[in-house]
Amino acid sequence: MKKITVIGAGIMGHGIAQVFALAGFPVHIYDLTKDKLRNAITDISINLDLYVDNELISSDEKERALGQIQITSNLEESLADTTFVIEAIPEDLQLKWDLYRTLETICAQDVIIASNTSTIPLTKLIQHSIHPERFIIAHFLNPAPLVPLVEVIKHKSTSNHVVKTTLSLLKKAGKTPILLKKEIKGFVVNRIQAALLREALALIDDGVVDSEDMDQIIKDGPGFRWAFIGPIETVDYGGLDTWKRIFDSLFPDLNNSQTAPNHINELVKENKLGAKTGEGIYSYQDTQINDLLTERDSNFLRLLHIKTKKMDKSLKA
């Protein structure tokens, strides 16, 4: 890879740029807003300080990673000599189509164009593309530098070269890319999360537990196990006969609402959108959000360190 270009300097964009820079790839971040670009570099520097504090990288490695990143509000400059472009712009289909039209005008035909979309099918993204074979989805999860998984979605038009190159690049960047075998609405991660949340929120609304207890149940129950064994392994270890009885007993009673819960609808109407507005399901009025995010990311880094060591051992075995 000569150079990687990240379009969009928001939370996901600068997080993705950090991933590639830390892996040693030259990265250009493009955004229309110069303030947003400067903030992106500041945020990346602060994020890398956490790595240093947790002894995952040295101060020299932090500076080397920062040295791999350049910012620009000139799109053509960001695309010069690039070999891989990933866009992390808002989930607006028309915005993405307009961007792709421009990218295909500027970029050579062999440049791979990836999207970090979490909701829009690749079929729609490439609807007006001249060279649909170069397009692919690489869906990073927030926070992008810390969550290992990247969902990779191809289309029947996507070339094998693009798929193999994307998977290889993500692995070299220390990620766990999973190629979905077919296109599906919401991909896999959001479908699983939505299914769990539908039941969790229904149980809260029914007064079975409150929000704090539900979070604790997931963190100290299934979430604890799922950090190292997935739900399918859990079923196998527990015995399929046992789990068959559980499925047969519970499936008819599980919530199957077709829309968001009323509680969530009411909060959204009141502009209580969560941490970003100071109140959502929880209140953040007397809390420094940045302190909470730092604590979250420090815990994620420790878990990532454990999982990375486990992976290294399995590769050596």
Side-chain angles (χ1 to χ4, degrees):
M1 286 285 162
K2 289 180 184 177
K3 188 177 88 178
I4 294 167
T5 300
V6 178
I7 308 289
I11 292 173
M12 292 307 296
H14 73 64
I16 292 167
Q18 178 183 318
V19 168
F20 289 125
L22 198 53
F25 295 101
V27 182
H28 264 63
I29 308 176
Y30 164 79
D31 201 284
L32 290 168
T33 310
K34 290 183 179 179
D35 283 346
K36 207 168 183 182
L37 288 165
R38 286 191 287 267
N39 290 339
I41 293 297
T42 300
D43 288 343
I44 291 171
S45 181
I46 291 170
N47 290 341
L48 290 175
D49 282 336
L50 274 180
Y51 284 65
V52 175
D53 293 343
N54 284 274
E55 299 181 350
L56 294 175
I57 63 172
S58 66
S59 295
D60 287 344
E61 287 172 314
K62 172 197 167 180
E63 293 307 318
R64 277 200 293 274
L66 287 173
Q68 294 285 69
I69 302 171
Q70 294 188 49
I71 58 175
T72 179
S73 56
N74 183 309
L75 182 60
E76 291 199 23
E77 179 185 325
S78 76
L79 297 171
D81 296 322
T82 197
T83 44
F84 188 91
V85 179
I86 180 162
E87 60 87 359
I89 67 172
E91 296 285 72
D92 181 306
L93 191 53
Q94 190 60 55
L95 274 181
K96 291 182 186 290
W97 282 341
D98 291 344
L99 173 63
Y100 299 158
R101 191 176 298 111
T102 303
L103 292 178
E104 290 204 284
T105 301
I106 299 172
C107 296
Q109 188 175 335
D110 59 350
V111 174
I112 297 170
I113 300 174
S115 173
N116 183 55
T117 182
S118 59
T119 57
I120 304 174
L122 189 54
T123 304
K124 286 189 177 179
L125 292 178
I126 64 173
Q127 196 168 321
H128 304 294
S129 299
I130 302 168
H131 297 290
E133 69 279 359
R134 67 161 72 182
F135 283 83
I136 196 162
I137 290 173
H139 175 219
F140 287 72
L141 278 66
N142 186 34
L146 302 179
V147 182
L149 179 69
V150 180
E151 291 182 294
V152 178
I153 300 96
K154 67 181 183 71
H155 183 265
K156 61 184 179 182
S157 302
T158 309
S159 75
N160 288 332
H161 168 72
V162 167
V163 173
K164 288 178 181 177
T165 302
T166 301
L167 293 173
S168 175
L169 172 63
L170 291 168
K171 287 176 184 175
K172 286 176 183 174
K175 290 302 182 182
T176 306
I178 300 295
L179 177 66
L180 273 56
K181 299 187 185 304
K182 63 180 182 179
E183 214 176 32
I184 186 169
K185 185 178 182 180
F187 314 148
V188 172
V189 170
N190 280 333
R191 291 178 74 96
I192 297 298
Q193 290 184 140
L196 188 151
L197 280 166
R198 177 165 64 181
E199 186 64 27
L201 291 168
L203 290 170
I204 292 168
D205 282 349
D206 286 345
V208 178
V209 291
D210 59 25
S211 299
E212 290 86 351
D213 286 342
M214 179 59 74
D215 274 339
Q216 206 63 49
I217 285 167
I218 299 299
K219 287 187 286 189
D220 288 351
F224 180 86
R225 291 191 296 207
W226 291 345
F228 294 100
I229 64 166
I232 310 305
E233 289 173 303
T234 300
V235 168
D236 239 10
Y237 293 163
L240 298 184
D241 54 336
T242 300
W243 276 98
K244 179 190 181 309
R245 287 192 291 271
I246 293 171
F247 295 152
D248 289 343
S249 173
L250 287 184
F251 276 11
D253 286 337
L254 294 179
N255 185 273
N256 66 350
S257 301
Q258 301 300 299
T259 59
N262 288 335
H263 183 210
I264 299 298
N265 290 332
E266 289 303 316
L267 289 172
V268 171
K269 280 181 187 176
E270 295 169 20
N271 202 42
K272 296 178 180 177
L273 306 180
K276 62 184 177 182
T277 58
E279 186 175 0
I281 295 172
Y282 296 121
S283 174
Y284 303 91
Q285 298 295 342
D286 301 319
T287 308
Q288 291 294 325
I289 298 300
N290 285 340
D291 291 343
L292 290 178
L293 294 178
T294 298
E295 182 183 3
R296 177 201 70 177
D297 290 351
S298 294
N299 289 330
F300 283 169
L301 276 169
R302 285 193 285 274
L303 177 59
L304 183 62
H305 184 54
I306 294 168
K307 289 175 75 72
T308 302
K309 287 204 307 188
K310 182 176 181 288
M311 189 182 301
D312 289 343
K313 282 183 181 177
S314 66
L315 289 174
K316 291 175 183 176

